[in-house]
Amino acid sequence: MARRRYHDGLALHQALPGQFLPFLVAAMSFLAALALAGGIAAHGLSQRWTHGAGAVTTVQVPGPDDPAAGSGTRIAAVQDIVAHAPGVATAHRLSDAELRALLAPWIEQTGDSSLPLPAVIEVHTVPGQDPMPPLLPRLEAVAPGVLVEHDSVWSDRLAALAASLQACALLAVLIVMTVAVCVVMAATRAGLQTRRQAIALIHSLGAMDSYIAGRFASRVGLLALVGGLGGSIAALPMLLAMSHLAAPFSAMTDAQAVAPMDWHNPRAWADIVPHALLWMLLALPPAAGITGWVTTQLTVRAWLRRLP
């Protein structure tokens, strides 16, 4: 009994009960995890589009077998220019089967499968480079009427949307942190008022502010750490489900996008869950504990300075 009094001389277990504060911190950690996960997912999808579909340029060549302005056919001249252009990673001409499969919904609507189709070249550019504008005059010179479509407009819009979602996620996290700090301050002040006489007594007998603040901060920091851990664990199943739903959109290849999920393989889960998300879940409990500790230190020291 004497040992317990030595370790809890201020009766902080009564002043700061261990049920209310951890529950609130867990709820706020849960909300913060969801907000951060949304921001991470938006960033990942934006990067996937920018380095995937956003880096693809489509070149359409009407009358591909007609003679070019120089020599050879129009499609051969266009392919030669595109393949040797700087900033072009690969240039693949779609076969008739690939092209008709791509246009199948529109061909079926017309009911005529013998419609003449232009040649289509799928150009994958190096990320961050757009070599097509300088090539347009050369392409028009050898094959008048050639059409170039670039998905940069959509990738730019998606990047702007992702940036907006990340800003919203950051704002939500800041709001949650502000509420958490206010809750910790209110709980600490309530505990100080509960033990006001005992604290004033030991303070008048020479107890240092660092000792009293340290006792309160250790108690609140531990409760916040437990609450942050509970919030991270509660958010984990929902984040795993969201990662599974978003996996086809972030898969690096089409084969990965359609591959069945092995629910019993932990490595399969590790492949679909972003590493940044896992690190975020691991960092939430310590962040909650440190926030609670620092807030309590400042609150208690400010309260002690007002004592007579």
Side-chain angles (χ1 to χ4, degrees):
M1 187 69 175
R3 185 178 180 182
R4 180 180 178 183
R5 289 177 180 174
Y6 173 76
H7 287 290
D8 193 18
L10 298 177
L12 296 184
H13 285 78
Q14 299 176 9
L16 297 169
Q19 295 84 17
F20 177 71
L21 186 59
F23 175 78
L24 290 179
V25 174
M28 286 179 284
S29 298
F30 178 83
L31 295 177
L34 294 184
L36 289 173
I40 293 173
H43 176 73
L45 290 176
S46 175
Q47 291 296 313
R48 164 64 176 165
W49 179 269
T50 302
H51 294 85
V56 175
T57 300
T58 302
V59 180
Q60 300 180 23
V61 185
D65 298 326
D66 296 342
S71 61
T73 61
R74 288 161 56 91
I75 184 60
V78 171
Q79 281 185 299
D80 182 67
I81 294 175
V82 171
H84 295 88
V88 174
T90 60
H92 167 65
R93 179 185 176 182
L94 299 182
S95 64
D96 290 341
E98 292 174 327
L99 190 57
R100 292 190 178 277
L102 184 65
L103 301 177
W106 293 270
I107 293 178
E108 290 176 358
Q109 289 178 6
T110 61
D112 186 1
S113 60
S114 62
L115 291 175
L117 299 177
V120 177
I121 303 175
E122 189 179 74
V123 181
H124 290 263
T125 59
V126 177
Q129 298 187 23
D130 187 8
M132 300 311 297
L135 295 181
L136 284 176
R138 296 177 57 189
L139 296 177
E140 283 288 347
V142 298
V146 66
L147 298 177
V148 177
E149 295 182 357
H150 190 28
D151 293 332
S152 60
V153 175
W154 294 104
S155 62
D156 293 342
R157 291 179 179 177
L158 185 60
L161 176 60
S164 301
L165 293 176
Q166 290 174 348
C168 292
L170 180 60
L171 179 61
V173 172
L174 291 178
I175 293 175
V176 169
M177 290 183 61
T178 302
V179 174
V181 169
C182 293
V183 168
V184 171
M185 290 176 62
T188 303
R189 289 175 178 174
L192 289 169
Q193 291 297 330
T194 301
R195 304 300 300 162
R196 181 183 181 89
Q197 293 183 353
I199 295 172
L201 177 61
I202 65 172
H203 190 264
S204 63
L205 294 176
M208 299 180 63
D209 291 358
S210 59
Y211 168 78
I212 301 174
R215 298 298 299 273
F216 270 87
S218 299
R219 173 68 175 168
V220 174
L222 179 60
L223 294 178
L225 177 65
V226 172
L229 182 61
S232 296
I233 294 175
L236 183 59
M238 182 175 293
L239 296 182
L240 288 177
M242 293 171 59
S243 298
H244 176 60
L245 293 175
F249 302 98
S250 59
M252 297 305 297
T253 64
D254 294 337
Q256 292 177 345
V258 299
M261 175 68 181
D262 186 1
W263 299 92
H264 302 288
N265 186 4
R267 295 187 60 182
W269 284 109
D271 291 337
I272 67 171
V273 178
H275 292 172
L277 187 59
L278 295 177
W279 284 112
M280 178 267 295
L281 288 176
L282 292 176
L284 266 180
I290 293 174
T291 301
W293 189 89
V294 172
T295 303
T296 305
Q297 280 276 357
L298 298 177
T299 302
V300 174
R301 288 175 182 270
W303 187 86
L304 291 174
R305 283 196 294 267
R306 293 196 296 267
L307 287 179

